[in-house]
Each structure stands twice: as C-alpha cells, then as structure tokens.
Amino acid sequence: MAYLSNEDKCDVLKQQYLLRHLDDHDLDRLAQFSRVVDFGKGKPIFRKHDPGDAMIVVIEGRVKITSQSVDGREIVFNIMNPGEMFGEIAFLDGLERTADAWSLEKCKFLWLERRDFLPLLERDAKVAIGLLNVLCERIRHSTVYIEDVAFLELQARLAKKLVAFAEHYGTDDGQGARIELSLSQSELGAMVDATREAVNRQLREWRDGGIIDVDKGVITVLDRDRLEDIADDFD
C-alpha cells in the first residue's frame, strides 16, 4: 500500500466537487479514515454485483467503467481520470455495484469507506446536494451514450468519440492532437458499440484520407474539423 500524508489526502479531497466546501476539521477527519491503494495495469478494482462499500478518487492513472452482456460483449461507459471520483452509485445506496471498474494503467486511489462517509452526508446538506449533482452528471452521460448508439451511425459515433478524446487527452505533437490514452481497438469499439474489425476498418479509411494517423496503436487527430463534420453529417 502506498503512503500519503494526511495533508496530502486533504489536498486530494478538497479538489472534489462535493467536498470542496468542507471545513478543515471535516476534511481532516475524512482524510484520517481514508486509505491509499495501488493497482497494477489491467486489474479489476471492483466487479459488478460486488458490495458497494466504498467511493474511490483517482490520484494517478486511468480507470474504465464497463459492463458485459451474457455473451461476453463489453460496453465501456466511461473513462475516469486523475482527480475524478467513481463508485458513488452503490456507495450511496449500499447495494451491489452496477458495473465493473478496471485499471487502464498503473493506478493510485484514495479509498473512502461508506461507513465513514455517511455521518457527514447525513448532517451536511451541501455534501448531499453535491453527490446528487455528481449522480445527475452520470445519468446525463449515460443518456447521451444511449442516444448515440440508438441514433448515430458508426462513423458519427467514432468521430464524436475521437473528437472528445482529442479535447480531453490530446497533446500537440506538431502535426495534430496525439491522444495519450491506452485503449485497444477492442476497447475503443466497446465505447462506441462496434466490433474491433469495424473500428479498425474505419480508422484505416480515415488514416488513408489524412484525417488521422495511427502509430503503434496511438491515434493522432490530424483534421479535427473534418471529424466534427463527419459526426454532424451522420447525426
């Protein structure tokens, strides 16, 4: 288990939307109860139907939130980045986890147990409202995902996803936005409800057209305007 001082843990907690208004005493108390946990790359953090006994803050690394159909097909709901919190749905109601969480990279987390957080939630309306806002954001994200799968063609879904990745994870390499995100084409397909083969085919077409570049699995968006047009054309 990694080590962080109580002051370091307070710094992590005060960056969270639903906790930033807390006074130093409450932050310090939460920090004392919290623990730091390390996970290697590609490890399950929790699985669907596990007890929802903790809420987790990403300190380092990235996490994918997924679910699997009966036939083993994976759906990727979200990617959680450093500074973001996940696991709050089951944490709030104390029921089973509604999805799987896997580490995409080597990760470090701040782990908040439900039993330690609930007293604060019960006495502080601002924390409760903040948590409701987080849940509403998750619902909105899920609604957009469902609408995209139901109404958009694969080209539009994939173009929209790459534009979002370029915005959030892109670094300028002199040619375009290099997407610094470790995702296989199977995982990318799972995020847009498509097979690896279909994603591979579309990426090759865009690469040949000069819209993107693919080097050792890393995608660079060369023509973001064209990708945005594709997303709009098929909307």
Side-chain angles (χ1 to χ4, degrees):
M1 182 181 296
Y3 173 78
L4 283 182
S5 69
N6 216 57
E7 183 179 355
D8 290 336
K9 289 195 272 187
C10 283
D11 288 339
V12 172
L13 291 173
K14 70 174 60 173
Q15 294 173 24
Q16 301 307 306
Y17 171 77
L18 70 160
L19 302 177
R20 63 181 58 173
H21 73 281
L22 294 181
D23 60 31
D24 291 341
H25 173 76
D26 283 333
L27 280 173
D28 184 71
R29 184 172 176 80
L30 275 181
Q32 289 181 43
F33 284 131
S34 68
R35 56 193 174 97
V36 180
V37 181
D38 285 333
F39 274 81
K41 180 180 178 180
K43 301 296 183 182
I45 300 155
F46 55 71
R47 304 300 298 267
K48 189 174 182 178
H49 304 309
D50 282 352
D53 54 5
M55 188 162 57
I56 304 160
V57 181
V58 183
I59 300 174
E60 296 175 4
R62 292 189 177 99
V63 173
K64 66 174 180 177
I65 309 299
T66 75
S67 188
Q68 284 196 340
S69 63
V70 176
D71 61 2
R73 187 168 61 90
E74 183 185 59
I75 298 173
V76 178
F77 294 120
N78 210 346
I79 303 291
M80 311 310 300
N81 300 293
E84 294 185 324
M85 183 179 287
F86 66 98
E88 67 284 338
I89 294 177
F91 175 89
L92 183 60
D93 62 18
L95 300 179
E96 297 177 342
R97 297 290 186 189
T98 58
D100 301 330
W102 292 81
S103 57
L104 284 172
E105 307 164 356
K106 186 177 180 181
C107 291
K108 179 182 293 184
F109 303 118
L110 193 60
W111 210 272
L112 294 169
E113 299 289 342
R114 186 172 188 268
R115 65 174 180 269
D116 300 321
F117 188 80
L118 278 183
L120 179 61
L121 189 64
E122 290 169 350
R123 75 169 188 268
D124 193 323
K126 289 184 179 179
V127 176
I129 292 170
L131 190 51
L132 284 175
N133 287 335
V134 171
L135 292 174
C136 289
E137 182 182 347
R138 296 284 186 265
I139 292 171
R140 290 178 185 275
H141 181 89
S142 297
T143 300
V144 170
Y145 175 85
I146 293 169
E147 288 178 344
D148 285 352
V149 170
F151 301 130
L152 300 184
E153 300 287 344
L154 169 60
Q155 287 189 49
R157 299 199 305 270
L158 186 55
K160 187 176 180 180
K161 186 59 66 176
L162 291 183
V163 168
F165 282 167
E167 180 178 348
H168 292 101
Y169 310 114
T171 58
D172 188 356
D173 67 356
Q175 292 185 312
R178 179 182 171 90
I179 298 173
E180 302 290 347
L181 187 62
S182 300
L183 280 178
S184 68
Q185 289 187 7
S186 294
E187 289 170 325
L188 183 54
M191 298 193 77
V192 296
D193 193 39
T195 64
R196 181 189 65 80
E197 292 78 12
V199 167
N200 181 268
R201 231 175 3 253
Q202 188 59 67
L203 292 178
R204 283 203 313 268
E205 182 180 320
W206 287 342
R207 182 194 60 195
D208 295 343
I211 298 173
I212 66 169
D213 185 33
V214 182
D215 180 30
K216 297 179 181 178
V218 178
I219 299 172
T220 299
V221 175
L222 305 176
D223 191 342
R224 178 168 169 173
D225 289 341
R226 181 66 185 121
L227 276 183
E228 291 177 343
D229 288 343
I230 291 169
D232 291 339
D233 288 344
F234 286 87
D235 197 334

